[in-house]
Amino acid sequence: MPNTHNPISYLIILYLTSFCIQTPNAMNSALTLVSFHSPSFNLKQRPPSRHQQISANWGTRQQCSPKPIRAILGSNATGGLSNAYHGGNALPSSPLTDVIQEFYSSINDKDMTRLKKLLAPDCVVEHTSYYKPLDVKNTHTYFTRLMAAMRKNVKFAIDEVCQGVEPTVAVMWHLEWNGKIIPFTKGSGFYMCSSKGESLLIRKVYIFNESPLKPGKLALEILLFVAKLFDTLPKQAEAFLQNPEALVWPIVKLYKFCVEPFVVYLLAYYIHFWSFVAQGLTMVLSILYNILKRFV
């Protein structure tokens, strides 16, 4: 049995006891340190995937998605647009829808003065029937001619109105004659408005008309032919796309110099030709009549 009263032995025993007590804490501290700083547990924030970005953007867009608003031409067609549609709901009133209703009502009423008050001084109309946008002067001329062409009984009927977040409105419409739908007269319009004081004015209009020609599959064949032609002649294609009217001008000049001077003579010859044909037929019919008269 060791002598515990020896000072050296007593110090050795105290040292071993303190080492055994402190070792578990040191080991736990070391394990904690390794666990916290281990690369497998060092989580970094990865950038969102493309799918997550699209989902986030779609969620943001849904919060401010435009709501469709519908209206049709009611029984009071001569007075303007009605606020009811086939579903029976009323057209909610807002500054944008009020401007659109007033716009089409003024056209239906053939009131150019009211229409001019809705157009901004720098209003521009881009129509699919024209090569170039219409400035304010040509815009007024276009709507004046449109009202004259519609006469009294042709009216615009609104099928659907879709209001955007900004002061923009999309409209689906068709034409009616005495409440009857006219075939091939569907169209759409996109209107961009701007505020002037407390009122809204239309500053830009895009008009798309339904084409009476329905090429169907032929349209895809034409697109394929044009795409191949552009790919074969890229330089000529770029020159043509920069100025599409340049292709028409040679044909117009050819008509003016080669065809137009002879049009009057061709028409005169055409009229005289058919007059001679009429006289010849008259003589033949008179001879046949006289022959039949003798035998009968």
Side-chain angles (χ1 to χ4, degrees):
M1 182 175 178
N3 188 10
T4 57
H5 296 283
N6 189 354
I8 298 174
S9 300
Y10 183 75
L11 291 175
I12 292 173
I13 292 172
L14 287 177
Y15 176 77
L16 293 175
T17 304
S18 63
F19 177 78
C20 293
I21 294 174
Q22 291 178 0
T23 299
N25 294 332
M27 292 177 63
N28 291 336
S29 177
L31 287 174
T32 305
L33 183 63
V34 171
S35 300
F36 183 78
H37 293 285
S38 176
S40 60
F41 290 92
N42 188 12
L43 300 179
K44 296 182 180 180
Q45 187 176 3
R46 297 180 179 179
S49 63
R50 180 63 177 168
H51 178 71
Q52 293 174 344
Q53 292 177 359
I54 294 174
S55 300
N57 293 336
W58 177 248
T60 306
R61 290 178 59 185
Q62 281 186 324
Q63 295 177 359
C64 57
S65 59
K67 299 180 179 180
I69 308 169
R70 297 179 178 85
I72 64 167
L73 194 65
S75 58
N76 58 344
T78 56
L81 296 175
S82 174
N83 284 341
Y85 79 105
H86 294 293
N89 296 330
L91 176 65
S93 178
S94 69
L96 285 173
T97 56
D98 292 344
V99 169
I100 295 303
Q101 276 199 318
E102 183 66 15
F103 177 81
Y104 284 102
S105 296
S106 60
I107 295 177
N108 286 345
D109 296 339
K110 315 302 184 291
D111 193 341
M112 191 62 194
T113 303
R114 286 167 52 196
L115 183 63
K116 287 182 179 179
K117 294 180 180 179
L118 301 174
L119 302 178
D122 57 346
C123 180
V124 177
V125 174
E126 292 195 13
H127 202 298
T128 53
S129 300
Y130 295 88
Y131 287 106
K132 295 182 179 180
L134 305 177
D135 56 11
V136 178
K137 182 179 179 180
N138 292 326
T139 297
H140 293 170
T141 303
Y142 167 76
F143 284 117
T144 301
R145 292 179 177 177
L146 175 63
M147 294 177 185
M150 292 171 61
R151 295 178 63 85
K152 180 181 179 181
N153 296 320
V154 177
K155 307 288 182 182
F156 274 96
I158 305 301
D159 298 317
E160 186 169 351
V161 178
C162 187
Q163 178 177 332
V165 179
E166 306 247 343
T168 56
V169 181
V171 181
M172 299 291 295
W173 49 262
H174 66 271
L175 292 179
E176 294 183 354
W177 181 85
N178 281 342
K180 305 296 182 181
I181 298 177
I182 303 175
F184 309 119
T185 59
K186 294 180 182 179
S188 61
F190 183 79
Y191 301 85
M192 301 177 65
C193 301
S194 60
S195 59
K196 183 180 180 182
E198 298 180 354
S199 60
L200 285 175
L201 297 178
I202 300 173
R203 62 181 178 85
K204 197 162 189 178
V205 183
Y206 298 88
I207 300 177
F208 306 90
N209 288 342
E210 179 185 9
S211 174
L213 300 177
K214 307 297 182 182
K217 295 181 179 179
L218 182 60
L220 300 180
E221 297 295 333
I222 295 174
L223 177 61
L224 177 62
F225 172 77
V226 172
K228 287 183 177 180
L229 184 62
F230 283 179
D231 293 338
T232 305
L233 304 172
K235 294 183 179 180
Q236 291 79 358
E238 291 180 0
F240 168 73
L241 294 175
Q242 290 178 357
N243 188 13
E245 297 180 0
L247 183 65
V248 183
W249 278 113
I251 301 175
V252 174
K253 291 181 178 179
L254 181 65
Y255 170 79
K256 287 184 177 180
F257 289 103
C258 299
V259 180
E260 188 176 10
F262 303 99
V263 168
V264 177
Y265 300 102
L266 291 174
L267 290 175
Y269 174 78
Y270 183 78
I271 294 172
H272 287 296
F273 171 77
W274 284 108
S275 64
F276 290 137
V277 172
Q279 291 178 4
L281 290 175
T282 303
M283 292 176 61
V284 171
L285 290 175
S286 62
I287 293 171
L288 292 175
Y289 175 74
N290 291 329
I291 293 173
L292 291 175
K293 188 176 179 181
R294 287 182 181 182
F295 288 100
V296 175

